[in-house]
Structure formats: structure tokens, C-alpha cells
Amino acid sequence: MSVFIGKDTRLVVQGITGRDGSFHAKQMMEYGTKVVAGVTPGKGGQRFEGTVPVFDTVAQSVAATGANTAVIYVPPVGAAGAIFEAVDAGIATVICITEGVPVIEMTRVMPFVRERGARLIGPNCPGAITPGQAKVGIIPGSICTPGRVGLVSRSGTLTYEVVNQLTRAKIGQSTCVGIGGDPIIGTNFIDCLRAFQDDPDTDAIVMMGEIGGTDEQKAAEFVRDHVTKPVVGFIAGQTAPPGRRMGHAGAIISGSSGTAAEKMAAFEAAGISVMKRPADVVPLLSARLK
Amino acid sequence: MSVFIGKDTRLVVQGITGRDGSFHAKQMMEYGTKVVAGVTPGKGGQRFEGTVPVFDTVAQSVAATGANTAVIYVPPVGAAGAIFEAVDAGIATVICITEGVPVIEMTRVMPFVRERGARLIGPNCPGAITPGQAKVGIIPGSICTPGRVGLVSRSGTLTYEVVNQLTRAKIGQSTCVGIGGDPIIGTNFIDCLRAFQDDPDTDAIVMMGEIGGTDEQKAAEFVRDHVTKPVVGFIAGQTAPPGRRMGHAGAIISGSSGTAAEKMAAFEAAGISVMKRPADVVPLLSARLK
Amino acid sequence: MNLHEYQARALLKAAGVPVPDGDVASTPGEAEALSRRIGGTVVVKAQVHAGGRGKAGGVKLAKTPAETADIASHILGMQIKGLTVHKVLVVPAADIATEAYVGLILDRDSQRPVFMVSPAGGIDIEEVAAKTPDKILRLPVDPRFGLLPHQAMALAFFLYTDIKQVRAAADIMQRLYKVFVENGASLAEINPLVTTPAGQVLALDAKISIDDNELDRRPDLAELRDETAEDPAEVAARRAGLTFIKLDGNVGCVVNGAGLAMATMDLVKYYGGEPANFLDIGGSSNPDKVVNALKIITADPSVRAILFNIFGGITRTDDVANGIKTALAQFPVKVPIVVRLTGTNEKEAVKILQGIGMTALSDMDEAVSKVVALVGEAA
Amino acid sequence: MNLHEYQARALLKAAGVPVPDGDVASTPGEAEALSRRIGGTVVVKAQVHAGGRGKAGGVKLAKTPAETADIASHILGMQIKGLTVHKVLVVPAADIATEAYVGLILDRDSQRPVFMVSPAGGIDIEEVAAKTPDKILRLPVDPRFGLLPHQAMALAFFLYTDIKQVRAAADIMQRLYKVFVENGASLAEINPLVTTPAGQVLALDAKISIDDNELDRRPDLAELRDETAEDPAEVAARRAGLTFIKLDGNVGCVVNGAGLAMATMDLVKYYGGEPANFLDIGGSSNPDKVVNALKIITADPSVRAILFNIFGGITRTDDVANGIKTALAQFPVKVPIVVRLTGTNEKEAVKILQGIGMTALSDMDEAVSKVVALVGEAA
């Protein structure tokens, strides 16, 4: 078992011939992900790396290869359209890596995704990895190792940092999911917590939040009410000033709302072990797993 | 029992202070329909005919009176908005009398109506009447009499003609529904046939169609497959020339499609007794009811 | 309401759809000047609401301004399917590499705008649909989300393989959809959508029909109506708030309600007569409408008798009776009138008619069979 | 990106929202001319991205053109919350009967644009929300259907009782929604929306923030950015493709990734230091970005030491090492640099740094505690 992606993942890469798409398609293939198709309009009929068939449209790729998961590396201006296309073609799980998708576009994308019963992860996210099975996105495979800890994060490199700490301490991961740092995202903490709670191969959960919004607070309530597995959490941005967007479009303290202190308190109240720094993940997790 | 409207109908009249709205509100009240509220923006707080409270919005009227059915007499430019408002306020059955609603507006209205699980009848229709219980719309109450024949029609006065023939022959009606002559309507023949088939108080069905579109053909298939009660049908426009809009926006033969001959043949094939003229309704129905 | 090609072209052009240069002319001189401005060989196209203009001689090539003037003088004033040509469109003669069909209709069944595109363009799309349905791609658009980018691309890929042409065509689909929605069209066609040898994608001919219901809130569109292209009686009827359609028979019909009006025509035929028209006076009770209806019908020399069939609901039958009385006082009606009326204020109506020596019937079949018999006697 | 009031006003005006007459001036002379053109008493308003302009003396009445010039000369150049005033808006002093608040935000939770309106306008809406929440009407808009007419009316009825004002306000809601969606705003406020004694409804002040992601596809909006209102270092960083935010500490930070950058700042604090900045070099591997990052950080005199924290994923750590090498060859860096890097091409990176006499740490805590210690020694 695994969460969102795994050995049954049949991946189509949207934007496979682009700079980022081609680089990461190769990385995913090397990791062992079943990359069954690529899509670049106008390049239908070509083969990527001599093996992966390229199509003009996602619908064609699904018809020809049975792709069930899509990863999007197309530029911001076309990313929302790429999500619509993947969902419309019947793709069940769409992971949008692209950073810079206009948020107003996401307000139109999300109802479409929901109506079709699809899952969107991202945009502006590093994707997901189920170590030993499939890597979809840009999380470096080398820092992961199979195991029984699920990880969900709004961040990219901070996720790597924590995964790396776990792997060095020989704590393997069931699935690591980067949900993205944008204000409107397809999959939030609660979606991931629910999936990990239901996953028989996950024993504990690490949750990496940051300032801005109230997703972490709601996630804490969800943990309190519905999660029986141990959860360890972190909030980035304890020293961030209010009113400034800290890189991620969603990482902004509005007025006095969305602060790290508020979120950490919510974690504590929900029984989540709070990391003060990334290095705390191993001792806290070890303590909870005893 | 009854179809769509009946003794449980609690009606709000949208546009109650307008020329058409006020005239017909009075007629409906005289017939015994429970007119519980009216809506005209800016006239909230007034009373119509000294009794019916008028509100600024449908939502207010629902909250104050428990209205469950709305009838719309607002001018074409505001009619689509009035449907949105009624549905958004939780009204279950919305009957739009207004003629001349831009069809492109209806393409946006219909998904909204469906998502909310509401029923829209019309636009550009005479409404419905369940004789002895409730009249919602403009069908003259005087020509109807309670009974066990359900009638559904795309037309207004042609409906009256046939209802009148029935009443004069002492054949009463369970419910008469005018579904309207526009290309895009909320309730079609099949919806009404299903309702009459399921209504224990309806023994037979009269179906008044006209040229244009394929609704009658589909209805015929539905009758063949799902209706066990006798059905008698008529198609207006046997002598209509192709390509001309015969008054109703939907009554137009496109190329060779949507002709009366085609529709009458479909009726025959489905076991529907076909009236050659309105006066045939009584003998055909009597024969089928024996 | 159908737009002329030049009007449809203008709407598309304003929305950024690439159309050939050119403009409309009402005189040979204007056409000549346009030809000179455009340069080279031009096409002169009759602007009438009729298909098959080419076969009828309404579309011609002209190599010089002088020839353009000559051709325009032939086409202007020409009759095509009973319609007089008042305007010609003058456009450069385009070199054409391929011709495709792009159509967008308001579909009753799906209750959505639906695209139909085919690489087999320039010809009758109904024929393509019947003979080679696999050459047509049909795509309904969800109006909540609009035409999505990948849908526009899918339509374009069905027409072209070259990615530049695909992108150009996808862009045209988006703009056509916008024109359709923003103008409340019931039909918008580009036929043919052509590619030039240089690879450009161009809308060579366009047809747009506007939903009549849209015109009330859009005076700018209502102004595009070309009343010279319509039957004058139908124009007069519309101005009087009546819906009138001229037919070939001799029994004039005045009815309230479209369904009853059609059923009345059918019943005339049933009893062996031929209706001279469809005429719906609508739901309101204005005696003036009846006067205007009688004026329009009596202006038709083939009318041998007139039938009123009024079922009073909103319409008050006494208003109709008063209208008949007023009309007869205003102008002579030389053919017999049979009146059937029932419903609202029937008694008052009967009295009014009796006052001017007319009888009113209450049964539709009786009235229709009577009027048909009267026409038979007159013949 | 925040727009100035005069820019927000222009967007609203273009969309048909009634705003008072008036325009923006950069000099006292321009302000005087505007005052003369407008006539009567005017308001001179400082155009800076800061709340509380009035309290800070940035909003003043002027009765004559001469007084306008005088007041403008005081306000122009004034500092408000650290920002220099470069422009003033001159508008007629409106007689105000009522003041309301109208706001539209992109709500993360509902993933929709959400209206917030209150008849208690002109003041801080967060205060109203906290103290009298029943004075705020909150209405999420389904982007598939847009702001429906009855929703606009419901918002307007919450503000007004007079039906003319209700209709005027509903129309303003529709136009505000259009401005919001068409310009990819994250916030659009009219505060106050006023009524005049004559009953007119007017947008007296407006605030619009544009989603930064929108700017790439909208050069017209990107042009509205007022870089004079920003920290010059932040402007330089943005031009170099970096995300930089100046803070009050003395430990300069160069990090890849926003989350890691925040966590690095937090860890500096955890070890007793104070971060001098947030700086994210992003995901790509361009050595130039590192050079620019070092230029920007070393320009800050309060920086006592610099910390690199790079977790190589897409970012190649050897590119970062090369960037450091290039920078140090180009300009002197007088404060100590601590480098932590791990991940992609780590070995190559370590070699490059060793080649210029630097060591690379691989543990984040070790690096942060070291840089904090270095700053402590320097103090």
C-alpha cells in the first residue's frame, strides 16, 4: 500500500519535452516510476529518450497507454489549462509542479477537479514519492528510503531536509507528499492526514507547515478528532514579519492571523509533538513510536 | 397526490407588483392557491392586496413564510436572475412564465438548477394547474376540473383548447403542465411522463407536442420503455414550412429534422394514440381508458 | 435573426478572428473603389440570407477595378431565392491550400453550445454529417467553464497537423466562442476556414444567427436587422408586435398563441383548405393588434376568407371583438370572416360581434370547416 | 503587488465604477492646476502603500488652488511609515451622507472570491469584524457562475434601503467583481463607499492588490509597480530573480526554497542570532543568482556574517559553490561566510569550495550555530 502514488502509478508527463519536464522525466524513469507517456502539443508521434511515446493531447495518451496519473511541468500561463486537460481526460491523480499559477485560475480549476472526482496535488509543489515504488515530481529519490512514516509538507527543500534526517536515522518513509505553498491548492493537510491514517503501511506522520492561512489549525483539529497514529509537526516562519509574502504565495501573516505561534499552539493542543527545529524530527518521532 | 404542485404548494410570486405579476397573483389567490409571499426589490414590507407580504428578496420570503414554490413574472432581462435567486434561496419548484429569456442565459441557469436539485418549469410557459388544489401560472382555472388525466404541453392556448375539450366531456385532470416552447427548458416531456407514470392519481396522459427539436421523439421512446398508462399525443405544426420559427423560439424545423410527420411516426411506433386534431382527444382517450 | 456575411465578418474581426481584407459596397462605384484599394483579383459576393449564392451567380471573381464595377452592377439588384441583393462584399481572392468547417450551435439536447468542426470544409455540413460522420468532431462546451484551452486544441488538431496552424485555429475557436456567447448567438459558422499556401489560417466566410430574445437587451445587434431582406408584411407584423409568417394558401388565420396558431393551420389543411399564413397575436389584449392583423392579412390578394381562432385566457375575447369592430369601421374587408372565440369575457365578445351583425362560433372544428367551405364556394 | 489608490481608482473607473473627479500630481504645480480645474475645496491625499495616512498628516483639505499647492508641497516628500510620498491624489471634497465598506478577497478556505460588506465603513474592517460581526455580510462567489444578480442585490440591501441606492450599489458590486477577476486581484476594497446628500453612490477610496503570479501574463499590470515605494534591495533582488525580504538582524541568509529559508531564519533565532533577511534563490541552478544574492546581502551594513543553506535537489550544489567562487573573485566580502550544502553534486561543490580555501558543512544545525557564534565573536 501507499498514498496517492505507488506501484500501480502509470504516469503521463505533461510538458515532457520542456527544460524542466525532460530533466525530471528522466529522473523519474531512473527512479523506476512507470512513465508511460509524455504530452507536448505538436510533438505527438515522437519518442522521449527513445522509449516513452509523446502525444499531442492527454486524452490520446490515456487512450493509448492507460495512464492514470499526470505530472505537470508546463509554464505558469498554461498550467491551469494542463490541469483541466488531465482531469478532463479522466486522469485520477494530477500533480502540478509549476510555480506561479495565477490564483484566480485555481478558483476555476478546483470546482472542475471536484466535480470529476479527481485528486490534484499542488500547484507549486515538489510532488510525491513512495520510496521504492514511484516518484512523481522533483523530490530527490536518493534521500528517501522505504519505511513506515508518512510525511506531508507545504514546502520543497525543507521537506528534503527532514526526509534526509529521517533516512540518516534509518527511519524509512511510506509516502512523502509536498502539497505546495500556494493559497489555493488541490490537496491539503487534512486530505493527506486522512490518507495516512487509513494506510495500513503508515505508522506515524510528520507534518511540515508554515505561516499563513488556517490549514494547519484545521489539520490539528482533524488530528485531535480522527487520527490515532502519532503525529509530529513543524511550522516554518516563526521569525517572519507580518504582511510580507515569504516566497511562497501562501506564506503570509495577515494581520495577526496565520502566525507560527498560533499554529504551534494548535498543534500542541491537538496532541501533535511540535518540533522546534527540523533536527527534532528524529527524537520526537522515536519517542512517539516507542 | 398530484404532480409538481398541489395542496402543499406554498407560493412566492416574483414580480408580484408588476403588471402581469399582480394580475395573475390575484387570479391564483382566487383559485385557492396558497400565495404566501411576493417579491419586488424595494417594495419589501408592503402587502399585496392587503394580505400577502412583499419582500425585497426571495431568501427573505422563504425565511419568513416557508415558501417552497416560486412563479416568475419578471421581464425577460431579469428572468434568468430571478430563477438563480429562487433556486439559491432553496425553492424546490420554480415556474418561469416570462417569454423572451435569452437562450444563452438558460445555458447558465440549467447547470445551477441541476446542481441544487431544484425543478424548473419553463421559461416561456403557461405554468401548471392541479385542479381543485393549486394553480401556478396563467392557465385559466375555469376550464379545468379535477380528475385523473395528466396533461403535458409545449403550448399555452392549445393546452387550454384540449383541456376545455376534456372538461366539456367530463374528463377531469390530475395536473396540467405547460413546459414551454423555448429551445432550452427546465422540465421536458420525459420528466412529466415519469411523474405522471408514478402518480397514483393519474390514469392516462395527454401529450401536446409541436415541431422542432427531438424532445417528442425521445419522449416516445420513454413511453415505449417506461410508461404503462395510456398516452394520447398531438403534434402542432403539420403544415409549418421548414426553417421558419413558428412563434415559439423552439418551434422550428431545421433542415428535415423536427417535422410533425417524424414526431407523429415516433408516437405511433411507441404505442401513443395520435390525435389528428385537438377534437380527437376525447374519443382517443375514451377508447384507451376502456 | 440572421446576420449578413459582412455583419458576421465584422463581429469576428472585432473579436480578433483573422478575416481577409475587404468591405461591403452598395453601388458598383463603391465596389470599384474597394477593388482598387485591395488590389489584384477580388471576389464580389452577394449579401443575401440564402445558401447556394455561388450556384445562383452571386459570387464572382473580378480581375480589375473596372471588372469589379461591372460584376457588382450585375449582382446588385439580382434576385437570389426570391431575395433582392442590395449589397456586395468585396474581398481579395485568397489562394487556398485547405478548407475546413467550424460551426458552433446552441444545442437543445445538451443545453449547451456545441462545436462541430470538420476538415471537409466549404461544403454542406449536413451532407458531411450524413455521409462521413467520422469527418466531424462534435464538442459540447460547459458554459460554467467556457471553452477550455485543451478543448480548443483538440478541435484544432482535428483540422490541422502543423502546430502553428493548430495554435492559430485554437485561438480562432476561443474567439468564435466569445463572439457566440457575448452576442447571444444560436449559430456561428466559419465555412470555410481556410489555410493559405503561406500557412495562414483565415475565416473566409461566416454566418451568424442571433437569438431573437437577445435583441431586446442589445439594441446594437437589433440594428443589424436588414428589413429589406424580409417580407414587408412580416416586418410590419413584427413592428405591430405580431408574429406573422406568409404561407401559400388562401385562408387567412388570426390566432392567439403559437401552438394554437399552428394547430389552426393544421386543421384548415385537415378540412381540405390551405392556410395563407401563421399569425399569432400573442397573449396581451390590445384591440390595436387585431386591427393591424386584419390590415396585414387583407393586404394579401390570395386571401379568400379570414378565420379568427381565439381561446381567451390572458387574452380577453371582448378585446378581440372590439378590434374586429374597429377594423371593419376603418377599412373594408372584402372577404368573409369566420370568428371562433371562447374563454375570458366570451359573453361580452359575442354581444359586440352581434352588434355589428356577426356571429361567433365557440367550436374550433366548426369554425375551421366553415371557413374552408366558404373558400370553396368562392372558388 | 499593492496598487496605489490612484491606480486602483483608475481600474475601477475604467470598469464603470463611479469615482469622484480628480487626478494624481507629482508636483505642487500639478496639484494646483488640478485644484483649479476641479474647483472648490479639494482633498490632497498622499499616495503611499501604508494605512493610517490621515493620522500621519498625509490627507488634507485645501480650499483654494494656492492652498492646494502649499499642502501638496508639504505632503510630497513626506515620510509615512518609512515610505516617501512621491505622488498626491487631488479630488473634490465630497459631501458625505453615509460611509460603507465593500471588500472582495480571494479566500483560501472556500477557494473562492468572497465579498465582505458593512454599513460601518470608513474604518478598520478587522475591528468591525472583531467587535460587531453582525455588521458584516460575507458572501462567497462561485466562480463558475460569477456574482449572480440577486447576490449583488443582497450585498447592496445590506448597505442601503433606498432602492435607487441599492441598485447603484449592486451595479458597483458587479463591476468590482469584474475588476477583481479580470485583473487577478487578491484583494479589492472600496472603503469608504459613500452616499452623497443628493443620493449618489461613490467609491471614495480604493485599494487593490494584484496576485504576483498574474504579472507575468499581464505586462500592463506589472507596469503599475511603483519601485520607489519599495526597499531598493528588494527591487534589485526581484530583478535578479530572487525573493528577498529585509529584516532587522545581522546574519545574512542565502537559502534555496522558501520553506527552508524560513526554517533557516528560525534556526538562527533558535541559536540566539538574528536573521538579517529572508532570501530564496529559488529552484534553478544559476551561479549568477548566487553572485547577485551576495551583492545584495553584503550591501547591508548591519550584516556581520553570511550563512548559505543549500539542500540540492533541482538546485545543483556545485552551481552554488561556483557562484560563491565567482562572487568572491569579483568583489571583496568582508564578513565571514559559513556554507552548508548537501544533495545534488555535493562532492563537486565541496571540492570547488576547498579550492578557494573554504570548508562546507553538511549539517544545518552545525552551520547555523557556527554562524551565530561568529557574529557573537565579531560583536
Side-chain angles (χ1 to χ4, degrees):
Chain A
M1 271 279 297
S2 60
V3 161
F4 305 145
I5 61 164
K7 54 187 185 314
D8 297 331
T9 294
R10 296 178 62 79
L11 187 69
V12 52
V13 179
Q14 290 176 258
I16 197 167
T17 61
R19 195 175 57 90
D20 291 348
S22 58
F23 177 80
H24 289 290
K26 271 181 244 170
Q27 301 255 316
M28 292 187 286
M29 288 161 72
E30 280 164 19
Y31 192 77
T33 310
K34 286 189 202 101
V35 177
V36 297
V39 168
T40 298
K43 303 211 169 161
Q46 299 185 3
R47 291 208 169 246
F48 176 74
E49 292 286 293
T51 56
V52 178
V54 178
F55 299 88
D56 286 324
T57 70
V58 178
Q60 289 167 353
S61 80
V62 170
T65 71
N68 58 18
T69 305
V71 63
I72 294 171
Y73 293 99
V74 308
V77 74
I83 300 172
F84 275 118
E85 178 173 11
V87 172
D88 199 22
I91 294 284
T93 304
V94 180
I95 300 185
C96 183
I97 308 302
T98 310
E99 180 177 358
V101 182
V103 186
I104 200 84
E105 294 276 300
M106 290 308 301
T107 65
R108 288 186 271 254
V109 165
M110 285 313 300
F112 191 80
V113 170
R114 269 195 216 98
E115 282 183 17
R116 304 299 183 96
R119 167 164 306 286
L120 171 67
I121 299 176
N124 189 19
C125 79
I129 185 166
T130 294
Q133 296 185 34
K135 156 190 153 107
V136 178
I138 62 177
I139 298 175
S142 58
I143 58 171
C144 303
T145 193
R148 303 185 60 82
V149 171
L151 185 142
V152 52
S153 172
R154 261 165 83 179
S155 154
T157 45
L158 178 57
T159 309
Y160 312 164
E161 179 70 40
V162 172
V163 171
N164 197 40
Q165 305 246 10
L166 292 176
T167 295
R168 286 198 305 186
K170 307 229 181 301
I171 302 173
Q173 304 92 42
S174 53
T175 299
C176 302
V177 187
I179 60 173
D182 273 7
I184 296 186
I185 51 177
T187 294
N188 62 22
F189 282 116
I190 291 177
D191 299 319
C192 295
L193 289 167
R194 188 183 290 118
F196 283 131
Q197 171 68 19
D198 293 346
D199 178 25
D201 291 338
T202 296
D203 292 340
I205 303 164
V206 177
M207 206 179 134
M208 307 290 296
E210 62 187 31
I211 55 164
T214 54
D215 268 15
E216 287 84 353
Q217 294 88 314
K218 286 189 204 136
E221 281 178 35
F222 183 83
V223 166
R224 187 191 62 204
D225 298 339
H226 303 289
V227 178
T228 56
K229 298 176 182 179
V231 182
V232 170
F234 180 77
I235 301 292
Q238 299 169 45
T239 50
R244 303 303 306 268
R245 175 179 141 162
M246 305 302 281
H248 285 164
I252 180 165
I253 299 168
S254 307
S256 61
S257 140
T259 63
E262 179 188 339
K263 295 185 181 216
M264 290 164 87
F267 276 9
E268 295 276 9
I272 298 170
S273 304
V274 178
M275 301 150 65
K276 297 214 163 28
R277 51 181 183 140
D280 290 345
V281 70
V282 171
L284 286 178
L285 205 51
S286 302
R288 293 291 300 266
L289 281 169
K290 257 169 204 161
Chain B
M1 270 274 301
S2 61
V3 161
F4 306 146
I5 61 165
K7 55 188 186 310
D8 297 330
T9 294
R10 295 179 62 80
L11 187 69
V12 52
V13 179
Q14 291 176 257
I16 197 167
T17 60
R19 194 176 57 91
D20 291 347
S22 59
F23 177 80
H24 290 289
K26 270 182 245 170
Q27 299 258 314
M28 291 186 286
M29 289 162 72
E30 280 164 20
Y31 192 76
T33 310
K34 286 185 202 106
V35 177
V36 297
V39 168
T40 297
K43 302 209 170 161
Q46 299 185 3
R47 290 207 169 247
F48 176 76
E49 293 286 295
T51 56
V52 179
V54 178
F55 298 89
D56 286 323
T57 70
V58 178
Q60 289 167 355
S61 79
V62 170
T65 70
N68 58 17
T69 304
V71 64
I72 295 171
Y73 293 99
V74 308
V77 75
I83 300 172
F84 275 118
E85 177 172 12
V87 172
D88 199 24
I91 294 284
T93 304
V94 180
I95 299 184
C96 182
I97 308 303
T98 310
E99 179 178 358
V101 182
V103 186
I104 200 83
E105 294 275 301
M106 290 307 301
T107 66
R108 290 185 270 256
V109 165
M110 285 313 299
F112 191 80
V113 171
R114 271 197 215 96
E115 282 182 18
R116 304 299 184 96
R119 167 163 308 284
L120 170 68
I121 299 176
N124 188 19
C125 79
I129 184 165
T130 293
Q133 295 184 34
K135 158 189 151 106
V136 178
I138 62 176
I139 298 174
S142 58
I143 59 170
C144 302
T145 193
R148 304 186 60 83
V149 171
L151 185 142
V152 52
S153 171
R154 262 166 82 178
S155 154
T157 45
L158 177 57
T159 309
Y160 311 165
E161 179 68 41
V162 172
V163 170
N164 197 41
Q165 305 247 10
L166 292 176
T167 295
R168 287 197 305 186
K170 309 231 182 300
I171 301 173
Q173 306 90 42
S174 52
T175 299
C176 302
V177 187
I179 59 174
D182 272 7
I184 295 186
I185 51 178
T187 294
N188 61 23
F189 282 116
I190 292 177
D191 299 320
C192 295
L193 289 166
R194 187 183 290 118
F196 284 132
Q197 171 68 20
D198 293 346
D199 177 25
D201 290 338
T202 297
D203 292 340
I205 305 164
V206 176
M207 205 179 135
M208 307 291 294
E210 62 187 32
I211 54 163
T214 56
D215 267 16
E216 287 84 354
Q217 294 89 314
K218 286 189 205 136
E221 281 179 35
F222 183 83
V223 167
R224 188 191 60 204
D225 299 340
H226 303 288
V227 178
T228 56
K229 298 177 182 178
V231 182
V232 170
F234 180 78
I235 301 293
Q238 299 168 45
T239 51
R244 303 302 307 267
R245 176 178 142 162
M246 305 303 282
H248 285 165
I252 179 165
I253 298 168
S254 308
S256 61
S257 142
T259 63
E262 179 188 339
K263 296 185 181 218
M264 291 164 86
F267 276 9
E268 295 277 8
I272 299 171
S273 304
V274 178
M275 301 151 65
K276 298 217 163 26
R277 51 182 184 139
D280 291 344
V281 70
V282 171
L284 285 179
L285 206 50
S286 303
R288 293 290 299 266
L289 280 170
K290 257 170 204 162
Chain C
M1 182 185 79
N2 295 324
L3 301 188
H4 283 301
E5 179 191 2
Y6 77 91
Q7 296 168 327
R9 233 177 78 97
L11 284 183
L12 292 179
K13 196 178 173 185
V17 174
V19 298
D21 188 18
D23 212 335
V24 78
S26 303
T27 66
E30 282 174 24
E32 186 178 0
L34 279 172
S35 171
R36 187 167 290 118
R37 200 203 74 203
I38 292 165
T41 305
V42 298
V43 191
V44 184
K45 305 170 89 176
Q47 301 294 290
V48 280
H49 295 308
R53 290 175 301 173
K55 282 180 196 163
V59 179
K60 299 253 177 193
L61 280 175
K63 287 189 184 135
T64 64
E67 197 187 348
T68 304
D70 186 45
I71 285 169
S73 70
H74 276 89
I75 295 179
L76 287 164
M78 179 188 249
Q79 295 272 325
I80 297 180
K81 296 191 181 166
L83 296 165
T84 306
V85 180
H86 295 285
K87 284 188 166 117
V88 291
L89 180 65
V90 182
V91 290
D95 273 346
I96 294 171
T98 66
E99 294 189 73
Y101 170 89
V102 175
L104 185 51
I105 55 155
L106 207 55
D107 181 57
R108 299 161 73 126
D109 291 343
S110 62
Q111 304 190 328
R112 293 179 173 188
V114 172
F115 270 98
M116 311 250 285
V117 304
S118 173
I123 53 165
D124 183 22
I125 194 65
E126 288 202 6
E127 213 179 297
V128 177
K131 290 187 187 159
T132 50
D134 56 309
K135 282 201 178 162
I136 295 184
L137 177 63
R138 210 176 162 280
L139 189 140
V141 180
D142 186 333
R144 297 171 306 162
F145 297 101
L147 180 64
L148 296 169
H150 72 279
Q151 295 177 321
M153 288 292 281
L155 292 166
F157 268 122
F158 194 72
L159 303 181
Y160 306 118
T161 51
D162 179 276
I163 188 66
K164 276 186 197 158
Q165 292 182 344
V166 170
R167 290 199 193 281
D171 183 62
I172 289 171
M173 305 290 171
Q174 289 287 9
R175 293 173 194 276
L176 183 66
Y177 181 77
K178 200 162 149 42
V179 166
F180 186 91
V181 170
E182 289 183 355
N183 296 290
S186 48
L187 170 95
E189 262 182 8
I190 299 176
N191 187 23
L193 180 72
V194 304
T195 57
T196 64
Q200 215 198 339
V201 184
L202 276 180
L204 209 62
D205 195 351
K207 188 173 164 186
I208 293 178
S209 302
I210 305 291
D211 170 18
D212 287 1
N213 289 348
E214 197 71 30
L215 303 179
D216 273 347
R217 61 174 182 179
R218 290 291 299 275
D220 57 324
L221 293 175
E223 258 183 27
L224 299 179
R225 191 188 286 280
D226 176 9
E227 295 190 335
T228 67
E230 294 176 78
D231 183 295
E234 294 183 11
V235 173
R238 191 176 52 242
R239 287 187 179 160
L242 307 167
T243 309
F244 173 83
I245 293 167
K246 172 89 185 77
L247 300 170
D248 294 332
N250 49 22
V251 179
C253 301
V254 181
V255 190
N256 67 323
L260 189 59
M262 281 189 276
T264 303
M265 283 161 43
D266 296 348
L267 203 61
V268 167
K269 181 91 172 178
Y270 177 87
Y271 282 107
E274 288 290 341
N277 64 276
F278 168 97
L279 196 157
D280 175 11
I281 60 168
S284 94
S285 281
N286 189 339
D288 285 352
K289 283 200 176 178
V290 176
V291 175
N292 283 315
L294 272 174
K295 268 188 200 155
I296 288 161
I297 286 182
T298 52
D300 178 357
S302 47
V303 168
R304 297 265 175 274
I306 297 169
L307 167 70
F308 276 79
N309 186 13
I310 306 297
F311 201 113
I314 322 176
T315 308
R316 286 167 48 187
T317 56
D318 56 333
D319 280 338
V320 174
N322 274 322
I324 295 172
K325 185 178 168 185
T326 309
L328 293 180
Q330 277 184 16
F331 52 90
V333 175
K334 290 171 186 163
V335 296
I337 299 178
V338 175
V339 180
R340 181 269 177 139
L341 44 77
T342 190
T344 314
N345 294 1
E346 182 177 335
K347 280 184 193 166
E348 292 84 340
V350 170
K351 262 188 212 160
I352 293 162
L353 290 178
Q354 284 171 342
I356 54 169
M358 293 179 75
T359 49
L361 304 174
S362 69
D363 184 82
M364 177 168 165
D365 281 72
E366 190 185 350
V368 173
S369 53
K370 184 172 173 189
V371 79
V372 171
L374 283 172
V375 168
E377 285 164 24
Chain D
M1 182 184 82
N2 294 325
L3 301 188
H4 282 301
E5 180 190 3
Y6 76 91
Q7 295 169 327
R9 234 177 78 97
L11 285 183
L12 292 179
K13 196 178 175 186
V17 174
V19 298
D21 189 18
D23 212 336
V24 76
S26 305
T27 65
E30 283 173 23
E32 186 179 2
L34 279 172
S35 172
R36 187 165 291 117
R37 200 203 75 202
I38 293 165
T41 304
V42 297
V43 191
V44 184
K45 303 169 89 177
Q47 299 295 290
V48 280
H49 296 308
R53 289 176 301 174
K55 282 180 194 160
V59 179
K60 300 252 176 192
L61 280 175
K63 288 190 183 133
T64 64
E67 198 186 349
T68 303
D70 187 45
I71 283 169
S73 70
H74 276 88
I75 294 179
L76 287 164
M78 180 188 250
Q79 295 273 324
I80 298 179
K81 297 192 181 166
L83 296 165
T84 308
V85 180
H86 295 285
K87 286 190 164 112
V88 292
L89 180 66
V90 182
V91 290
D95 272 349
I96 294 171
T98 67
E99 295 189 72
Y101 170 90
V102 175
L104 184 51
I105 55 154
L106 205 56
D107 181 55
R108 299 162 72 126
D109 291 343
S110 63
Q111 305 191 325
R112 292 180 174 187
V114 172
F115 270 96
M116 311 250 285
V117 304
S118 174
I123 54 164
D124 183 23
I125 193 66
E126 289 202 6
E127 212 178 297
V128 178
K131 290 186 188 160
T132 49
D134 57 309
K135 281 201 178 160
I136 294 185
L137 177 63
R138 208 177 162 280
L139 190 138
V141 181
D142 186 333
R144 298 172 307 163
F145 297 101
L147 180 65
L148 296 169
H150 72 281
Q151 295 177 321
M153 289 292 280
L155 291 167
F157 269 122
F158 194 74
L159 304 182
Y160 306 117
T161 52
D162 178 276
I163 188 66
K164 276 187 199 159
Q165 292 182 343
V166 169
R167 290 199 192 280
D171 184 62
I172 290 171
M173 305 290 171
Q174 290 288 9
R175 293 173 194 275
L176 183 67
Y177 182 75
K178 202 162 148 42
V179 166
F180 186 90
V181 170
E182 289 184 355
N183 296 290
S186 49
L187 171 95
E189 263 182 8
I190 300 176
N191 187 22
L193 180 73
V194 303
T195 57
T196 65
Q200 216 199 340
V201 184
L202 276 180
L204 209 61
D205 195 350
K207 187 173 164 185
I208 293 179
S209 302
I210 306 291
D211 170 19
D212 288 1
N213 290 348
E214 197 71 27
L215 303 178
D216 272 348
R217 61 174 184 180
R218 290 292 298 274
D220 57 322
L221 293 175
E223 256 182 29
L224 298 179
R225 191 187 286 281
D226 176 9
E227 295 190 335
T228 66
E230 294 177 76
D231 183 297
E234 294 183 11
V235 173
R238 191 176 52 243
R239 287 187 180 162
L242 307 167
T243 309
F244 173 85
I245 293 168
K246 173 87 187 77
L247 300 171
D248 293 333
N250 49 22
V251 179
C253 301
V254 182
V255 191
N256 66 323
L260 189 60
M262 281 190 275
T264 304
M265 285 160 43
D266 296 348
L267 203 61
V268 167
K269 183 92 173 178
Y270 177 87
Y271 281 109
E274 288 289 342
N277 64 276
F278 168 96
L279 195 157
D280 175 10
I281 60 168
S284 94
S285 281
N286 189 339
D288 285 353
K289 282 200 176 176
V290 176
V291 175
N292 283 315
L294 273 173
K295 269 188 199 153
I296 288 161
I297 288 182
T298 53
D300 178 358
S302 48
V303 168
R304 296 264 177 275
I306 297 170
L307 167 69
F308 275 79
N309 186 13
I310 306 297
F311 201 112
I314 322 177
T315 308
R316 287 165 47 186
T317 57
D318 55 333
D319 280 339
V320 175
N322 273 322
I324 295 173
K325 186 178 165 184
T326 308
L328 294 181
Q330 278 182 17
F331 53 88
V333 176
K334 290 172 185 161
V335 295
I337 300 179
V338 175
V339 180
R340 181 269 177 138
L341 45 78
T342 190
T344 314
N345 295 1
E346 182 176 336
K347 278 182 194 167
E348 292 84 340
V350 169
K351 262 188 213 161
I352 293 162
L353 291 178
Q354 283 172 342
I356 54 168
M358 294 179 76
T359 48
L361 303 174
S362 68
D363 185 82
M364 178 168 164
D365 280 73
E366 191 186 347
V368 174
S369 54
K370 185 174 171 189
V371 78
V372 171
L374 283 172
V375 167
E377 285 165 23

